Amino acid sequence: MTGFIGMHALQEAQPLVGSGFTPTDLARALLIGAAVLLVSVAAVRLANRSGLPTLLIYLGIGVAIGEAGLGITFSDPTLTQVLGYAALILILAEGGITTNWQTIKPAVLPAAILSTLGVLVSVGVVGVGAYLLLPNLSWQVSLLLGAIVSSTDAAAVFSVLRRVPLPPRLTSVLEAESGFNDAPVVLLVIALAQAGAPGGADNAWWVVVVEAVIELAGGAVIGLVLGYVLGRLMKSAAPGSSGLFSIGVLSVVVLAYAVADLAHTSGFIAAYLCALMLGNLHLPHFSAVRGFAQALGWLAQIGLFVLLGLLASPVRLIHQIWPAVVIGLVLLLLARPASVLLSMSWFGFSLREQAFLSWAGLRGAVPVVLATVPLTVGTPHTEWIFDLVFVLVVVFTLVQAPTLPRLAALLHIVDESHTVDLELEATPLEELNADVLQVRIGDASRLHGVAVHELRLPEGANVTLVVREGKGFVPQNRDVMRHGDRLLVVTTAGARGAAIRRIRSISKAGRLAGWRRDPQPAPDDDQAS
């Protein structure tokens, strides 16, 4: 009590110094913030219908409430960069935690090559194009521009590709690439920006490469070790509260970034790999952890894109439309295809698959955030880069994102038996050691005409519901599946992979795929489980 009185007296004697933020200001800020969040949440429905990433809507909201709209003035690139890095940590955390290791395991090496060799190829091609096509650019600034636009964006890729029924290895490559390539691109952009700044170090190219490799390797080790060790500890000492446990899991990811960055290694690769490790340790309360990570990921996306929209000035953007279109075409038609061709040809990807990978290299918040690096470092004559990159991201996202489903169909790479994990929050699936899959039977799938018992799913897996023309029913063994059906398959965690492989093989080759004579006849309908 005495302490409280003393503090109150001190506040009476010494008003808060430099405190210009009042409760009224807080109310205004909360009003604007809550309104922006509500509009952003409502905008997701529009994005889902149009096939566009939500980032475009969020950027538009930022521009609308900025200096050219409601008049909110914001022009601090340093704060934008700091908050952008914080948001990217949460976005990468969500991507890592929600990614199944068994699904992306075959794509790790191709994605790693595309995120390193592919990035270097893209930087070189865009750098040459910028030097030849844009006036009065030095080689250093041209390569810096190429590095800034070379990273695909995790948020954009995750939001679009999960709605496109692609074969698993294509989805896995694109998602893993977007998680991996942030780290090397950040290192490259910082190195080029610092080299171009007054008094910057003029290191040989091989020194920069060696330092980048060391930083990436160090960050990877830190992320994996912290994720495994702390994840195991949390698993053995999990609190009863799922909400508290979720906070702890995300704190481990943030810790991995901070430790790696303070150790002068790559914090972004540490955060992503730590999250990937945590997401595949079969942690308790995992449904809650996943939901919490997705909520924070959405909040980070909204905040980041609105902030970037605030920083942009429509008056300045107009002057960069033509240069942005030129560089975007070089990136989309030359740099990205070249990087995919040189990186993916070694792994048996067909030309049709490579064409889709080339078109699906979506750009988003990462290049726009990295465009602030030259401003904060002090690289001269680079003030225009932010505006150019902003326009490039908006224009080419409008071109690429809506066309991805149609392009996949034209290239005949649509997965006709597309399976996705379903999240059932009302059921503690991790305690039951169970998974639920949704199977969509496409127009070209050979599952059409196959009876349920002819699937010969492994022990521990069963078709529990069929939805046909909007009506659901529980199938019997001799019920026949049709084009357009959606199936719910309940499976134990151990049988999940075999069930998916079985469904895919019959979808491609028909009911006799992998057939072996069964010594026991198929059970009658009244014996079906």
Side-chain angles (χ1 to χ4, degrees):
M1 187 67 177
T2 305
F4 175 80
I5 295 173
M7 181 179 294
H8 181 72
L10 180 61
Q11 291 175 344
E12 289 289 331
Q14 296 180 340
L16 291 176
V17 178
S19 177
F21 199 78
T22 66
T24 303
D25 296 326
L26 174 63
R28 291 195 186 101
L30 292 177
L31 174 64
I32 295 173
V36 168
L37 287 176
L38 288 174
V39 172
S40 300
V41 171
V44 173
R45 188 175 184 87
L46 174 62
N48 289 337
R49 287 180 175 179
S50 64
L52 292 172
T54 51
L55 71 91
L56 292 180
I57 298 175
Y58 301 155
L59 287 173
I61 292 173
V63 174
I65 65 176
E67 62 182 38
L70 296 182
I72 297 177
T73 303
F74 180 78
S75 57
D76 191 338
T78 302
L79 180 59
T80 301
Q81 184 181 332
V82 171
L83 294 178
Y85 280 13
L88 290 176
I89 295 169
L90 296 178
I91 293 171
L92 288 173
E94 187 268 339
I97 287 174
T98 57
T99 297
N100 186 288
W101 168 249
Q102 294 302 323
T103 301
I104 72 163
K105 183 179 178 180
V108 168
L109 184 56
I113 299 297
L114 189 57
S115 301
T116 50
L117 174 62
V119 163
L120 293 177
V121 172
S122 179
V123 171
V125 174
V126 174
V128 171
Y131 183 79
L132 296 177
L133 299 175
L134 298 184
N136 303 321
L137 283 191
S138 65
W139 274 110
Q140 202 162 47
V141 173
S142 299
L143 292 174
L144 175 60
L145 177 60
I148 289 172
V149 300
S150 63
S151 176
T152 57
D153 186 74
V157 170
F158 295 157
S159 65
V160 172
L161 291 184
R162 289 176 180 175
R163 299 196 300 267
V164 181
L166 294 175
R169 73 169 185 167
L170 286 183
T171 301
S172 300
V173 165
L174 288 166
E175 291 195 0
E177 179 207 4
S178 66
F180 290 156
N181 66 9
D182 288 349
V185 168
V186 168
L187 297 177
L188 188 57
V189 169
I190 292 175
L192 289 171
Q194 289 178 340
D202 189 17
N203 294 324
W205 66 268
W206 63 269
V207 174
V208 175
V209 171
V210 170
E211 289 179 350
V213 170
I214 293 174
E215 292 189 24
L216 290 173
V221 170
I222 290 173
L224 292 172
V225 170
L226 286 178
Y228 181 80
V229 173
L230 295 182
R232 287 288 184 183
L233 290 175
M234 294 185 68
K235 187 175 182 179
S236 61
S241 170
S242 60
L244 185 62
F245 187 77
S246 301
I247 293 174
V249 171
L250 268 293
S251 299
V252 172
V253 179
V254 176
L255 178 67
Y257 173 87
V259 171
D261 192 67
L262 292 175
H264 300 291
T265 59
S266 174
F268 288 113
I269 197 69
Y272 181 73
L273 291 180
C274 178
L276 185 63
M277 177 66 73
L278 291 169
N280 289 273
L281 282 179
H282 303 292
L283 297 174
H285 308 302
F286 187 67
S287 293
V289 172
R290 185 186 182 101
F292 183 65
Q294 289 175 327
L296 285 184
W298 276 111
L299 186 61
Q301 289 183 49
I302 294 171
L304 174 57
F305 295 136
V306 171
L307 185 67
L308 294 173
L310 273 173
L311 189 61
S313 170
V315 176
R316 299 196 314 266
L317 296 179
I318 294 175
H319 300 292
Q320 296 299 330
I321 292 178
W322 175 245
V325 170
V326 171
I327 297 302
L329 289 174
V330 172
L331 177 65
L332 181 62
L333 302 180
L334 296 177
R336 177 68 179 180
S339 63
V340 169
L341 180 65
L342 293 176
S343 303
M344 296 290 100
S345 299
W346 312 96
F347 301 99
F349 286 84
S350 67
L351 291 179
R352 289 184 289 114
E353 291 173 324
Q354 291 184 39
F356 185 85
L357 289 173
S358 299
W359 193 261
L362 300 176
R363 267 63 187 176
V366 177
V368 185
V369 171
L370 292 180
T372 65
V373 172
L375 301 177
T376 59
V377 171
T379 309
H381 311 302
T382 56
E383 298 81 4
W384 52 273
I385 289 182
F386 177 88
D387 301 317
L388 184 149
V389 173
F390 189 98
V391 174
L392 185 151
V393 167
V394 171
V395 171
F396 284 89
T397 301
L398 284 170
V399 171
Q400 292 173 257
T403 59
L404 285 175
R406 178 168 295 183
L407 179 63
L410 289 175
L411 294 174
H412 302 293
I413 57 173
V414 174
D415 185 359
E416 297 293 352
S417 58
H418 187 54
T419 60
V420 294
D421 292 320
L422 295 183
E423 300 168 35
L424 302 181
E425 297 179 1
T427 305
L429 290 178
E430 69 272 4
E431 296 180 8
L432 301 177
N433 195 32
D435 286 317
V436 179
L437 304 173
Q438 178 182 258
V439 181
R440 183 191 64 84
I441 301 180
D443 294 338
S445 174
R446 297 186 67 180
L447 285 169
H448 177 79
V450 175
V452 171
H453 74 86
E454 292 178 310
L455 286 175
R456 302 189 302 282
L457 294 175
E459 184 178 355
N462 201 6
V463 179
T464 59
L465 184 70
V466 176
V467 178
R468 179 177 296 162
E469 297 179 352
K471 297 180 180 180
F473 62 92
V474 177
Q476 301 298 317
N477 266 349
R478 300 192 184 280
D479 284 335
V480 175
M481 294 172 287
R482 303 295 182 193
H483 291 311
D485 285 356
R486 293 184 181 273
L487 319 178
L488 288 188
V489 179
V490 176
T491 171
T492 62
R496 175 183 179 276
I500 291 176
R501 288 191 296 271
R502 183 72 199 139
I503 292 170
R504 292 187 187 284
S505 65
I506 294 181
S507 178
K508 294 178 180 178
R511 57 169 54 86
L512 297 182
W515 182 84
R516 294 180 182 179
R517 183 179 296 275
D518 191 343
Q520 298 180 352
D524 295 331
D525 289 346
D526 58 357
Q527 297 176 326
S529 56

